[in-house]
Amino acid sequence: MVKKILKFIFSKFFSIDSLYFNFVMLKVKGNDFVVIENNNIGYKIFMPRVSIDALGDIDIEVKIYTYYYVREDNISLYGFLTMEELNMFELLISVSGVGAKSALSILANVEPSKFALAVITNDTSKLVKIPGVGAKTAARIVLELKD
């Protein structure tokens, strides 16, 4: 199978370049972000809404896998509850035309295993059902991730 799909499927065994905040205090929950506190420093982390809802109450310890996103006009942290979500995010932003916000939207609407199955089977119809993903974007995602 293709290298990127294998990386996605076996990501929790082979990923070595991830960063995560382990057992930090959840301080704020917004619509598309959380703020965590680590050593008296607050970090704003953008996350899918379903992940934010799954975190629980404020002032509890949480573990969040993060991606440090750096562009010429933007430096942000994106957070995920599992390594599978993190690796799916990394794959999605590697596709031309898919940015971090679009990748978060896709993550909020499809599980990583169902996404992988859709890519492997060339099933763009499942991807088109995701808000913000049209036929061209779905075809590009499948084409570029199958390489």
Side-chain angles (χ1 to χ4, degrees):
M1 202 91 262
V2 293
K3 182 180 178 183
K4 289 181 181 181
I5 298 299
L6 286 176
K7 179 186 175 199
F8 173 74
I9 293 171
F10 298 107
S11 61
K12 67 187 211 178
F13 300 111
F14 298 110
S15 181
I16 57 171
D17 57 348
S18 62
L19 165 73
Y20 65 92
F21 287 103
N22 195 15
F23 304 113
V24 291
M25 296 299 282
L26 178 63
K27 291 297 185 180
V28 176
K29 290 170 68 172
N31 285 332
D32 63 347
F33 70 92
V34 296
V35 175
I36 59 161
E37 184 180 288
N38 187 17
N39 294 325
N40 294 324
I41 299 173
Y43 296 92
K44 182 178 184 180
I45 302 173
F46 295 98
M47 296 180 74
R49 184 70 207 171
V50 290
S51 297
I52 293 171
D53 293 339
L55 283 175
D57 296 327
I58 303 296
D59 288 328
I60 62 166
E61 289 185 345
V62 295
K63 179 177 182 177
I64 300 174
Y65 295 91
T66 59
Y67 182 84
Y68 187 56
Y69 186 78
V70 178
R71 296 293 178 262
E72 64 186 40
D73 61 341
N74 181 17
I75 298 175
S76 301
L77 283 172
Y78 290 89
F80 311 95
L81 297 181
T82 66
M83 285 297 296
E84 290 82 13
E85 290 176 351
L86 171 61
N87 283 297
M88 181 175 155
F89 177 82
E90 290 174 338
L91 284 174
L92 284 167
I93 62 173
S94 74
V95 174
S96 60
V98 178
K101 295 290 184 178
S102 298
L104 276 187
S105 174
I106 294 169
L107 273 163
N109 288 285
V110 65
E111 296 173 16
S113 59
K114 291 181 182 177
F115 173 79
L117 184 62
V119 170
I120 290 169
T121 60
N122 291 326
D123 189 1
T124 57
S125 65
K126 287 194 176 158
L127 299 176
V128 173
K129 293 177 184 176
I130 299 169
V133 178
K136 289 181 182 179
T137 303
R140 191 174 330 113
I141 289 170
V142 169
L143 177 68
E144 289 189 26
L145 293 182
K146 284 205 84 145
D147 289 349

